[in-house]
Amino acid sequence: MKTHRTVLTLLLVSLICVVSILSLLGCTTNMPGRSYAGALPPLTPEEVELQEGLRKHVHKLADELGERNVFRPDALESAASYLVHSLKSLGYRPAIQEIQSGGRKVKNIEAELSGQSKRDEILIVGAHYDSVFGSPGANDNGSGVAAVLELARLFRKKRPERTIRFVFFTNEEPPNFGSENMGSWHYARRCRESGEKVVAMFSIETIGYYSDRKGSQEYPAPFSLFYPDTANFIGFVANPASKDLLFRSIASFRRHTQFPSEGIAAPSWISGIDWSDHACFWKFGYPALMITDTAPFRYPYYHTREDTADKVDYQRTARVVAGISRVIAELSGKPQS
């Protein structure tokens, strides 16, 4: 009995030490609201339509165009043309930001929905449309690109109080990742130099893979102590400076969407925290977060030739995108009832 108590005491002390260390590092793991648990409800008609739109876009990007990056510039340009055409078909007038990269011009693509009473306050919803070398990039990041296209469709006739921009970034993957060659770095710098008031940036990054198998979710140490080991949730990831945006976003998602969700605010040097375009907005002082399925921490086909369109769970991705749309609606000035 004494030995048992000693073990429990040691475990409790260890847990307290870990929590204290995370606090000192600026990590926040306790989120507002409660993650949904239980059986998922039937898809709504809106989610069924989303499911089919997501499937169409991912098939085009991954199966038809395939690998698209600085090593396959023609496919990258074809992907850009597809995005421009898709946005025009929705009634937008897409704007192009050209960037010199490796002796070629590559493109960021932007579609803007002007706000009403707070039009100078801007929400950016973005995803990178390039894929890593050697991969068709269905989940990374065809799923994110498809989500942003579908969100642009859902909002095309709305009149938000704040301006919403749907942006597709180039050059997120290596050899440009983490450098000033990233499309999002150029875009965020332009926003700062223009004095634009970006109040929120959402990076939609690899959101299409889920599993109900115990042990299917991994984390960098020591976060497995605080999060579930089943990869059936969507993650909201921010740095400490963007904690307020993170709290408002995940609270909104949990209020309006019956789908499991987890969140964290942590320093960017922790593995995975800054692994997408949101990090470039941090560098220019803007609040930003990543919405993700956690990519390599659950997806066995990450950055491989096997990242194909058939690996994406379109039904659950549709639920997530519908939830994101409600978050954007609320934060753009049109609260959900």
Side-chain angles (χ1 to χ4, degrees), residues 19-257:
V19 172
S20 299
I21 290 170
L22 290 179
S23 298
L24 287 171
L25 294 176
C27 297
T28 302
T29 58
N30 188 29
M31 296 291 111
R34 181 176 296 179
S35 176
Y36 179 76
L40 297 175
L43 291 181
T44 66
E46 176 190 72
E47 289 167 344
V48 171
E49 188 175 7
L50 274 171
Q51 178 180 235
E52 294 314 306
L54 293 165
R55 191 189 308 274
K56 180 186 75 171
H57 298 313
V58 174
H59 171 74
K60 177 67 179 183
L61 292 167
D63 289 352
E64 293 189 23
L65 299 180
E67 181 186 342
R68 52 204 179 275
N69 49 46
V70 293
F71 306 107
R72 294 195 68 234
D74 291 344
L76 187 66
E77 176 61 28
S78 294
S81 296
Y82 176 74
L83 296 173
V84 169
H85 173 77
S86 298
L87 292 168
K88 286 182 176 179
S89 71
L90 294 172
Y92 292 96
R93 296 180 179 179
I96 304 297
Q97 181 187 22
E98 290 190 337
I99 302 164
Q100 285 290 340
S101 176
R104 287 176 174 266
K105 290 181 179 179
V106 293
K107 301 171 181 175
N108 289 330
I109 301 160
E110 167 196 292
E112 181 173 289
L113 189 65
S114 293
Q116 304 303 307
S117 64
K118 300 179 180 179
R119 65 181 307 166
D120 62 319
E121 298 182 10
I122 303 166
L123 277 73
I124 293 173
V125 186
H128 71 88
Y129 65 94
D130 59 319
S131 69
V132 75
F133 176 77
S135 176
N139 194 22
D140 182 17
N141 189 30
S143 63
V145 172
V148 177
L149 280 174
E150 285 300 293
L151 289 166
R153 178 183 64 80
L154 290 175
F155 279 86
R156 69 192 187 279
K157 295 182 180 179
K158 297 187 183 297
R159 293 169 59 84
E161 298 304 318
R162 295 179 174 89
T163 294
I164 304 173
R165 288 182 187 166
F166 303 98
V167 186
F168 302 89
F169 301 111
T170 189
N171 282 16
E172 190 268 357
E173 297 287 6
N176 300 298
F177 180 78
S179 76
E180 295 180 3
N181 293 321
M182 289 178 69
S184 52
W185 189 91
H186 284 268
Y187 190 91
R189 182 182 68 172
R190 190 185 71 181
C191 290
R192 178 55 69 196
E193 290 177 346
S194 300
E196 292 184 327
K197 189 177 181 181
V198 177
V199 297
M201 187 274 173
F202 300 94
S203 176
I204 315 299
E205 172 65 63
T206 312
I207 62 168
Y209 187 79
Y210 303 89
S211 174
D212 295 315
R213 179 177 59 83
K214 295 284 287 183
S216 54
Q217 181 68 50
E218 298 178 351
Y219 305 91
F223 295 103
S224 58
L225 295 172
F226 303 95
Y227 294 100
D229 69 350
T230 303
N232 64 350
F233 63 87
I234 190 67
F236 290 70
V237 179
N239 65 352
S242 302
K243 184 178 68 175
D244 289 346
L245 173 62
L246 170 64
F247 279 13
R248 284 186 288 126
S249 299
I250 198 168
S252 176
F253 186 89
R254 289 176 170 182
R255 278 196 301 272
H256 304 304
T257 303

